[in-house]
Amino acid sequence: MTQLSAAQKTPDSSRTLYGGKGTRRITVRDLNAAKERGEKWPMLTAYDAMTASVFDEAGIPVMLVGDSAGNCHLGYETTVPVTLDEMTMLSAAVVRGTSRALIVGDLPFGSYQEGPVQALRSATRLVKEAGVGAVKLEGGERSHRQIELLVESGIPVMAHIGLTPQSVNTMGYRVQGRGEEAAQQLLRDAKAVQDAGAFAVVLELVPAELAAEVTRVLHIPTIGIGAGPDTDAQVLVWTDMLGLTSGKMPRFVKQYADLRSVMTQAAQAFAEDVVGGAFPTEEHSVH
């Protein structure tokens, strides 16, 4: 095996996904090139134009308009109730709020399980009406035919295996791929989505050693969430990452801020100013 020199291992800053130059949209080809370079990259969820614009300005190269919006913004207990209409509206907002990031729209539960034709119809809506650059769907071998038709039709597909939240009613929220049989199934799922033409695959709640093996075996990028440090990329739900979500966080979440406290304190300060007559003042009045 040819050994890379130090210069070859160091990413070219003009081509890197995070912090790279240029204003054109990131494409799936850029992600494949990053895999070949050994470059790791970040992905965050986004559900509205304003938040997406902040992440775009920060240099986040890929944003997922996930059906996690159901839990984070729409008040649902799970992702299952999220509709294609809702995903189309949210995806369009994120696209409008960005100029560089590749925007991936989630296909919600019930929008592709019937088969390839339904999947194509649903994905076409996200591409034509929302303007996303790719779609994501859950499932490995069971979603092979859907992925294949979408890719043949010119729609890039990000796959999602391991814990698949849309299947919460059958699998629950637990680590996937533990034990020899389960690990082999996850490997089969990973190879199936790659063979079908997926440009990347999310590995959710998978043992770190297994995720590392999948990453070695596949030539497409792997994106980890609760899958250890050896995947090609990492994704977090933005409300978890910034501390807006209440309650106990999963072990794999790292909080980089505490927005819930900041927003609570600001709302309380505003309310107290109004009640006490300190706002508005002459400075905030129009004449």
Side-chain angles (χ1 to χ4, degrees), residues 12-263:
D12 179 352
S13 62
S14 67
R15 298 191 301 164
T16 54
L17 296 179
Y18 173 69
K21 299 176 182 178
T23 56
R24 68 169 178 81
R25 288 279 182 186
I26 300 292
T27 68
V28 298
R29 293 181 62 184
D30 295 318
L31 304 189
N32 290 328
K35 170 88 171 183
E36 294 175 2
R37 295 193 300 269
E39 176 194 345
K40 291 181 178 290
W41 45 273
M43 180 168 83
L44 285 172
T45 63
Y47 316 108
D48 64 88
M50 184 174 292
T51 304
S53 70
V54 172
F55 296 158
D56 205 44
E57 185 177 341
I60 301 300
V62 185
M63 291 182 219
L64 170 65
V65 189
D67 58 4
S68 49
N71 313 76
C72 300
H73 289 278
L74 301 179
Y76 301 137
E77 291 186 4
T78 70
T79 65
V80 173
V82 177
T83 68
L84 184 58
D85 285 343
E86 290 168 334
M87 289 308 307
T88 301
M89 177 192 68
L90 297 173
S91 297
V94 171
V95 171
R96 289 193 295 268
T98 57
S99 62
R100 181 174 184 266
L102 170 65
I103 308 303
V104 183
D106 236 344
L107 290 179
F109 180 73
S111 69
Y112 62 93
Q113 282 84 356
E114 288 181 16
V117 174
Q118 185 199 27
L120 179 58
R121 187 181 303 116
S122 300
T124 299
R125 278 199 64 189
L126 287 180
V127 173
K128 287 177 67 69
E129 296 179 29
V132 301
V135 301
K136 182 177 77 66
L137 57 78
E138 296 182 0
E141 290 183 321
R142 63 183 169 87
S143 296
H144 179 278
R145 293 185 302 117
Q146 284 93 325
I147 296 171
E148 201 167 47
L149 179 59
L150 295 188
V151 174
E152 288 176 354
S153 302
I155 300 176
V157 178
M158 177 181 288
H160 183 159
I161 62 175
L163 172 66
T164 47
Q166 292 176 10
S167 303
V168 62
N169 290 328
T170 57
M171 68 168 53
Y173 290 106
R174 56 189 177 86
V175 176
Q176 302 296 306
R178 280 184 174 156
E180 182 62 26
E181 183 177 346
Q184 289 303 313
Q185 180 59 58
L186 191 127
L187 281 166
R188 287 194 295 271
D189 284 337
K191 292 176 181 177
V193 299
Q194 176 176 266
D195 292 345
F199 70 87
V201 58
V202 173
L203 306 177
E204 181 167 358
L205 216 57
V206 172
E209 298 81 3
L210 179 56
E213 182 179 357
V214 172
T215 302
R216 288 192 298 269
V217 169
L218 298 187
H219 61 74
I220 62 174
T222 57
I223 305 162
I225 178 167
D230 295 319
T231 54
D232 297 302
Q234 297 289 335
V235 61
L236 283 177
V237 172
W238 87 260
T239 51
D240 294 344
M241 185 271 291
L242 288 177
L244 191 59
T245 307
S246 63
K248 184 179 180 180
M249 288 294 98
R251 178 180 176 180
F252 59 79
V253 172
K254 180 176 180 179
Q255 291 186 316
Y256 289 82
D258 185 5
L259 288 193
R260 193 173 189 88
S261 292
V262 172
M263 294 174 70

